[in-house]
């Protein structure tokens, strides 16, 4: 077990992510280039590399958070970041497959401060492009040649299947009025925690760790993913659209049973009943109803619960990171990145 310092030893989280982008982005772009023309055009738009007419744009795309987890996990267990690039590319492709489908299912028209792919190219094109990225992820994973762990495809497939199961439960919850905290937590662990856990477990496997080391890294990522999801749920209600890139109160508009909402509904307060009545209305929630719903979640304790639970889960995740760590500096960078990801002001 290696002690983890609070600082990154000289590199800020922004510098860590920039370094990961320098390593992963060229490989990711080259991999996407192998797609057929139609899904490739939509994928390049979705990643922020081109506009809707196919012209190059200067956007950097996503934050590269999941690839960063994979590369740092490999280094944390004593391996090389370069050996985990196939894992990093694969998890980023899976993540973007899920985003393309998620935007369609939620009807969201904005992501990363621009129009979503389905709203520009149509629902069918976005779904097929997501499918293409998922298929491509397994090709990317196999690109590690002799460095690819034999269980890598199984690890990625397990994460994908759990992600899909979590997304399915999330959709089902929108139609139900009896969602409990335990099943909501299980949904979030699958929907978000599975892929973050997969990124860390895969990275550690590519880094040459023991099975127990890979499992500790997977649990670190999974618990971090649950903390990240709760923090994201809070942003989905109270986040600034200029920061989140999504419409204000978007989760409430979609009647999502996020963890803070379910905690508020289960609190047994007077506000809990009023919130349940709002969610049970047949007409869509707009304007004043959305503002009132956000107030009710907060007054019923959902916001305070979410903030406390995020911190508790983060600390539990770091215990697994300490258990797996063989190198102090990358472990410290992972810890700092985890803390940044679960902040509610980013």
């Amino acid at each position: 077990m290696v002690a983890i310092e609070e600082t990154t030893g000289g590199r800020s989280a922004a510098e860590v992510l920039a370094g990961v982008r320098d390593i992963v982005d060229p490989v990711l772009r080259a991999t996407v280039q192998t797609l057929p023309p139609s899904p490739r055009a939509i994928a390049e738009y979705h990643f922020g590399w081109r506009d809707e007419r196919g012209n190059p744009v200067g956007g950097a795309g996503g934050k590269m958070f999941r690839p960063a987890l994979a590369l740092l996990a490999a280094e944390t267990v004593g391996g090389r970041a370069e050996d985990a690039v196939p894992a990093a590319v694969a998890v980023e492709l899976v993540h973007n497959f899920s985003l393309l489908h998620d935007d369609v299912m939620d009807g969201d028209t904005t992501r990363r401060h621009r129009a979503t792919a389905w709203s520009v190219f149509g629902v069918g094109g976005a779904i097929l492009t997501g499918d293409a990225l998922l298929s491509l992820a397994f090709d990317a994973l196999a690109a590690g040649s002799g460095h690819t762990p034999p269980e890598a495809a199984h690890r990625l497939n397990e994460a994908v299947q759990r992600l899909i199961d979590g997304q399915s439960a999330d959709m089902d919850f929108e139609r139900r009025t009896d969602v409990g905290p335990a099943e909501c937590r299980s949904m979030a662990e699958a929907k978000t925690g599975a892929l973050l856990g997969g990124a860390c477990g895969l990275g550690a496997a590519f880094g040459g760790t023991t099975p127990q080391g890979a499992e500790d890294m997977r649990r670190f990522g999974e618990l971090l993913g649950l903390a990240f999801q709760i923090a994201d749920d809070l942003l989905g209600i109270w986040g600034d659209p200029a920061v989140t890139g999504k419409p204000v109160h978007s989760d409430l508009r979609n009647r999502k049973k996020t963890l803070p909402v379910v905690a508020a509904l289960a609190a047994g307060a007077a506000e809990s009943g009023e919130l349940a009545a709002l969610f049970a209305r047949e007409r869509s929630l707009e304007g004043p109803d959305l503002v009132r719903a956000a107030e009710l979640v907060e007054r019923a304790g959902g916001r305070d619960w979410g903030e406390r639970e995020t911190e508790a889960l983060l600390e539990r995740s770091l215990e697994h990171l300490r258990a797996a760590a063989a190198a102090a500096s990358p472990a410290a960078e992972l810890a700092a990145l985890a803390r940044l990801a679960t902040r509610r002001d980013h």
Side-chain angles (χ1 to χ4, degrees):
M1 181 180 291
V2 171
I4 299 173
E5 300 297 331
E6 292 289 329
T7 65
T8 60
R11 284 205 306 177
S12 69
E15 290 170 332
V16 170
L17 291 172
V20 169
R21 184 177 300 281
D22 288 343
I23 295 171
V24 174
D25 192 63
V27 183
L28 178 64
R29 288 176 184 254
T31 303
V32 171
Q33 276 288 314
T34 66
L35 289 172
S38 180
R40 182 173 70 235
I42 299 175
E44 289 179 334
Y45 171 84
H46 168 76
F47 277 107
W49 303 335
R50 295 183 183 273
D51 64 20
E52 63 273 19
R53 293 176 295 276
N55 300 315
V57 295
K63 297 176 183 177
M64 289 285 179
F65 177 58
R66 288 155 188 82
L69 294 180
L71 298 193
L72 287 173
E75 292 184 302
T76 292
V77 300
R80 302 189 313 156
E82 292 78 7
D83 288 340
V85 169
V89 172
V91 296
E92 185 67 1
L93 289 169
V94 169
H95 174 53
N96 282 276
F97 139 75
S98 72
L99 295 182
L100 282 161
H101 284 200
D102 196 45
D103 286 340
V104 170
M105 289 182 282
D106 289 346
D108 285 341
T109 57
T110 305
R111 178 174 292 281
R112 297 169 181 162
H113 309 286
R114 66 206 301 251
T116 49
W118 77 264
S119 68
V120 175
F121 298 97
V123 169
I127 291 174
L128 291 171
T129 300
D131 294 343
L133 293 184
L134 177 58
S135 174
L136 192 60
F138 286 89
D139 271 352
L141 193 66
S145 185
H147 295 294
T148 303
E151 76 279 11
H154 173 73
R155 285 184 178 275
L156 184 62
N157 182 63
E158 183 177 43
V160 170
Q161 295 301 326
R162 290 189 63 208
L163 183 159
I164 291 171
D165 186 49
Q167 180 64 31
S168 178
D170 191 27
M171 293 174 60
D172 182 52
F173 290 174
E174 294 177 28
R175 299 186 291 269
R176 287 174 47 192
T177 59
D178 60 341
V179 179
E183 61 179 333
C184 189
R185 184 187 182 98
S186 294
M187 176 275 293
E189 286 178 345
K191 179 183 175 183
T192 304
L195 188 55
L196 268 65
C200 293
L202 274 169
F206 273 85
T209 190
T210 64
Q212 183 58 53
E215 176 60 17
D216 273 318
M217 288 304 303
R218 187 193 69 80
R219 282 295 289 159
F220 159 70
E222 187 172 66
L223 290 167
L224 171 60
L226 183 54
F228 176 85
Q229 183 60 61
I230 297 173
D232 194 59
D233 290 344
L234 294 170
L235 286 173
I237 300 174
W238 294 285
D240 182 354
V243 176
T244 65
K246 299 183 72 173
V248 67
H249 297 151
S250 61
D251 286 350
L252 293 175
R253 181 177 287 106
N254 293 322
R255 303 172 198 258
K256 280 188 172 293
K257 303 300 192 301
T258 61
L259 280 158
V261 168
V262 171
L265 289 169
E271 292 87 355
S272 305
E274 186 179 343
L275 179 63
L278 263 181
F279 269 53
R281 288 182 182 176
E282 290 189 7
R283 70 172 186 267
S284 61
L285 297 180
E286 299 291 345
D289 285 341
L290 291 172
V291 174
R292 181 59 178 163
E295 290 175 350
L296 292 169
V297 174
E298 183 163 12
R299 291 183 182 180
R303 188 171 191 170
D304 285 344
W305 175 88
E307 291 173 351
R308 292 193 308 270
E309 190 67 10
T310 297
E311 189 61 31
L313 285 164
L314 176 61
E315 292 309 313
R316 284 180 56 199
S317 76
L318 293 177
E319 291 175 6
H320 288 279
L321 176 60
R322 294 184 185 99
S329 181
E333 291 179 344
L334 258 183
L337 201 59
R339 294 191 182 281
L340 175 66
T342 52
R343 278 172 41 192
R344 291 164 296 283
D345 58 352
H346 67 288

